[in-house]
Amino acid sequence: MISLWRDMNGRGQVAVALAFLVLLFAPVAATRYLLSVLTLILYFVYVGQAWNLMMGYAGQLSLGHALYVGLGGYISAALWVHFGIGPWLGVVPSVAIAAAFGAAIGWLGFRFGIEGVYFSLLTIAFAEFTRIGFDHIGFVGGAGGLFIPYEESRLGEWWNLRGSQVFFYYLAFGMAVLAVLLTALLARSRLGYQWLAIREDETAARALGIDVFRAKMKAVLISSSMTAVGGVFYAFYYNSLFPAQLFDMSRSIELILGPIVGGTGTVFGPVIGAFVLTPLGEILIAVTEKAGINAPGAKAIFFGLILMAIIYLVPTGVWPWLSQRLGFARRRS
Amino acid sequence: MSALLSVVDVGKRFRGLIAVDRVSFTVEAGEIFAVIGPNGAGKTTLFNMIAGVLAPNEGTITFRGERISGRTPDAVCRLGVARTFQIVRPFPALTVEDNVVIGALLHRTEMAAARRHARDVLATLDLFDKRDFRASALTLPDRKRLELARALATDPKLLLLDEVMAGLRPTETDRMVEILRGVNRDMGVTILLIEHVMRAVMALAGHMLVLHHGAPIAKGKPEDVVRDQKVITSYLGQESI
Amino acid sequence: MLSIWLNVVVQGILTGLLYGLMALGLSVIFGVVRLVNFAHGEFAVVAMYAAFVLFRAFGLDPLIAMLPIALAFFVVGFALQRTLINAFVGRPEHEQFILLVGVAIVLVNAVLIVFGPDAQPANLPYAFDSYMIGPLLVDKVRVYAAVAALAVCAALFGFFRFTRTGTAIRACADNLVGAAVVGLDVRKLYAITFGIGLACVGAAGSLMITIADAVPSLGPAYTLLAFTIVIIGGLGSMAGALVAGLLIGVSEALAGFLIAPSMKSMFSFALLVAVLVLRPQGLLGKKPA
């Protein structure tokens, strides 16, 4: 963490400190709508960062991360709805089960040498398989969905994740900050360097004594566990869960757009990505409404076009380009 | 026994084709040992068996009394055998220093210690000034030295070099010879090299082994081996020294 | 009892041929251009709507509309490769992925805006006709569609086998550097290949409208289906794509019949995982060197 701070020059430090303070005091001035958008952004920072660890650092392209969001959300919600077990306790089995799924995918993929596109497809297959499975599990409501009841009397029970918009904002803020710090920490750790080596060249990494299988397994386990916590947040923030919504491939894609647009393998890429894409979506909704185009797909078309433009123009992501432009580039001793 | 590495009756077949046929030799601690032979003689196969890339069909390879044949490349490296690749494979998007830091982290958990060690190795190999360059931006001779630096950063007892002179111009070859001598003498690293460039082999090796069609045809000191009639007809006769 | 089973399997085979044709397009693109067309299923859905419109507006039978649609898709594919996609050849997979996800999002939502989210049946006049062959009762449309799909596949095999361009494209797939060295215009061949891949999916989509209703949400599902088939069959193996298409068609039909239609793709994914683990090169794929 300290090294993250030290690696930035004065301008970078000022910018990060300012952004932190603005976000910290945002609820004072922000409207409820703005706060909900910011909450969503911070949620995407969090899950994007979790995915970034696996793809940006360890180089393993998962296109099925919605699986872990869904498992985390569903398990914690089901424990709460059916047994009254609160999310602070429920997060433990949620993470454990999501990590077990991650371990299964990782083991299959890495033991049997399933790489590149094949590995990505394996992750999609698991997510889709689980989605269809949850459609048929009556205990969690099947395709009809699972709902966390809204109870007026519980509203202040923050320990059960029952709270106001401001509460969820700060929760998301805390999670996002922790995710950024964790990424910074891992990026400068022995494990982080092992991941980079594997991302760049697995054979060379192995020749330098790195146990590639173990390092990759750690990446999947950390990433899936983190993402599952995001799922718990999602469940108690939105209170309604549908397999088609949580596990769908479009969810996995949505989750990884931020880090890719912002810049994979960087600490601030997923942050910038989320802060670019989520407001962009909101602005597109507003603009298309203003322009009188009330077709449901119009916003998405613009979104798709902008996505293509970004990946065409700045393929390594907005953050590396931006930090160069604004003079935040790392100075190296 | 002071043998650091001993290869005993090692053989490898690919679909019935014999690539390496019952090869035995030992490398003493502190020496520079060369394996030479024409293309297709089985040098690379032998190299890959020592480095853990391939498992031999027969025979054993022991390193400091421990059997390493059949182990994975990373396990072999952790025991103290580092290697370079004939076609260099630096981590292209990382800086020169970070490339070497990854090697240094093998036996160091402290980041600061690893970075210090990496810089020491870079200084030894004349790469210190280029430590902030991306590896992909280096010239071939620099990349070869980076590859060497990365391997040395793992604190090996034995260094396996796969045609490290290939693609270098004569002046660059001489420089590499100097560096390898220094590594061997000052850092106390034993070197096993597989080489085509005879000039470098003659300058460096204390002992050598000549392979032909997978089988050893001569073994001993370089000055004796080059006078061996079998070696001259099968190998040296075709390629001028 | 046995005849029911037989009917299910035959229906699966007939549907599987359409799947195979669709996957063939993906396999050709992937095998030659080394590009991951994540918008493949979306293109199939666009073709379905094109055939739907041609039938509703001009009464053009999808079996005939297939030809102009495939031609149009070829042109689109050629142009797309030349302009947008060529810059992404050889780039990291996740970059290609984002580009084509962008394309997919645009396609699906364009269709959504024009036609709305509801399923659109083509209502062919002979949709409910069927042939009685002994104990078998087969839908006429499925037979027609399957025969048409087979014809397109045969044409494609012929193209790659017997024409100069086809041979040149295969050379590109085998040895890119070699192909460039002997003076083949690799970029143009890539564009032709992408065009052919899209023509396949155009034809497959047109035929698909005869047996399934057009819905925008089918896009991602078809993309996934095509990928599953290509990987099961073996990347770059044209015959593999067809065989795996049949396999998935039959497996879906059986699963739908035995368990529940909504669970049919679970079996495809299970099959995919099994193939990835046991035979990563696919059923008919070449072993990696």
Side-chain angles (χ1 to χ4, degrees), chain A residues 24-299:
Chain A
L24 189 64
F25 293 109
V28 179
T31 61
R32 202 186 141 76
Y33 165 73
L34 187 60
L35 215 53
S36 75
V37 173
L38 282 172
T39 308
L40 193 61
I41 293 173
L42 291 168
Y43 166 76
F44 278 121
V45 170
Y46 176 83
V47 287
Q49 204 65 272
W51 178 83
N52 183 37
L53 283 176
M54 197 169 146
M55 171 62 201
Y57 288 93
Q60 308 303 309
L61 177 56
S62 162
L63 297 181
H65 254 50
L67 169 66
Y68 311 122
V69 176
L71 286 172
Y74 258 107
I75 292 160
S76 60
L79 287 173
W80 173 244
V81 171
H82 289 296
F83 307 110
I85 298 172
W88 292 111
L89 195 60
V91 73
V92 177
S94 305
V95 164
I97 291 170
F101 270 73
I105 293 171
W107 185 81
L108 279 175
F110 308 146
R111 255 299 166 253
F112 293 90
I114 300 168
E115 285 163 354
V117 185
Y118 293 84
F119 179 74
S120 306
L121 203 72
L122 184 72
T123 61
I124 298 179
F126 263 81
E128 284 290 297
F129 193 87
T130 315
R131 175 179 66 80
I132 301 166
F134 268 74
D135 266 342
H136 294 86
I137 301 175
F139 185 67
V140 291
L146 179 66
F147 304 93
I148 299 178
Y150 175 82
E151 294 159 276
E152 198 82 47
S153 60
R154 285 191 181 274
L155 213 58
E157 294 183 12
W158 58 266
W159 58 93
N160 281 327
L161 295 190
R162 307 280 74 198
S164 61
Q165 177 65 56
V166 174
F167 165 74
F168 277 105
Y169 171 78
Y170 276 116
L171 188 61
F173 183 51
M175 283 165 65
V177 169
L178 281 179
V180 169
L181 291 178
L182 182 71
T183 306
L185 196 70
L186 282 169
R188 285 316 188 84
S189 73
R190 190 170 182 228
L191 182 59
Y193 273 90
Q194 292 183 340
W195 286 344
L196 289 179
I198 291 166
R199 182 191 79 187
E200 294 289 304
D201 187 334
E202 247 183 73
T203 308
R206 214 169 264 131
L208 291 174
I210 295 170
D211 189 334
V212 170
F213 177 74
R214 259 180 88 142
K216 287 207 256 183
M217 283 303 276
K218 283 180 190 166
V220 183
L221 286 175
I222 295 173
S223 184
S224 57
S225 305
M226 265 177 87
T227 311
V229 175
V232 177
F233 173 88
Y234 183 98
F236 283 80
Y237 182 51
Y238 288 108
N239 296 316
S240 55
L241 308 171
F242 300 93
Q245 232 174 53
L246 262 87
F247 292 103
D248 199 73
M249 191 167 62
S250 61
R251 281 295 148 129
S252 294
I253 290 171
E254 183 181 62
L255 182 158
I256 74 177
L257 289 180
I260 292 181
V261 165
T264 56
T266 65
V267 174
F268 287 111
V271 182
I272 297 296
F275 272 92
V276 170
L277 287 183
T278 312
L280 187 69
E282 296 297 321
I283 290 168
L284 285 176
I285 291 177
V287 168
T288 43
E289 271 174 10
K290 268 253 168 64
I293 316 166
N294 59 354
K299 171 211 158 193

Side-chain angles (χ1 to χ4, degrees), chain A residues 188 190 193 200-201 209, chain B residues 78 89 93 105-106 111 115:
Chain A
R188 285 316 188 84
R190 190 170 182 228
Y193 273 90
E200 294 289 304
D201 187 334
Chain B
R78 284 195 292 274
R89 328 180 60 133
L105 280 167
L106 179 61
M111 265 331 281
R115 203 160 282 281

Side-chain angles (χ1 to χ4, degrees), chain C residues 217-230:
Chain C
S217 62
L218 269 179
Y222 277 163
T223 297
L224 216 51
L225 182 71
F227 264 94
T228 307
I229 291 170
V230 165

Side-chain angles (χ1 to χ4, degrees), chain A residues 55 61 63 108 112 114 116-118 121-122 124-126 128-129 132-133 136 249 253 256-257 260 264 295-298 300-301 304-305 307-308 311-312 315, chain C residues 30 36 38 83-84 87-88 91 93-95 97-99 101-103 105-106 109-110 112-113 220 224 227 231 235 262-263 265-266 269 272-273 276-277 280:
Chain A
M55 171 62 201
L61 177 56
L63 297 181
L108 279 175
F112 293 90
I114 300 168
V117 185
Y118 293 84
L121 203 72
L122 184 72
I124 298 179
F126 263 81
E128 284 290 297
F129 193 87
I132 301 166
H136 294 86
M249 191 167 62
I253 290 171
I256 74 177
L257 289 180
I260 292 181
T264 56
I301 287 189
L305 288 173
L307 210 59
M308 287 159 67
I311 204 69
Y312 198 89
Chain C
F30 206 178
V36 200
F38 270 101
T83 52
L84 188 62
F88 281 77
R91 294 252 291 259
E93 275 151 8
H94 68 274
E95 290 177 17
F97 166 75
I98 292 293
L99 180 79
V101 162
V103 173
I105 291 174
V106 170
N109 287 288
L112 186 71
I113 289 176
L224 216 51
F227 264 94
I231 297 221
L235 216 54
S262 59
M263 286 175 92
S265 45
M266 269 180 115
F269 293 128
L272 171 73
V273 172
L276 280 176
V277 168

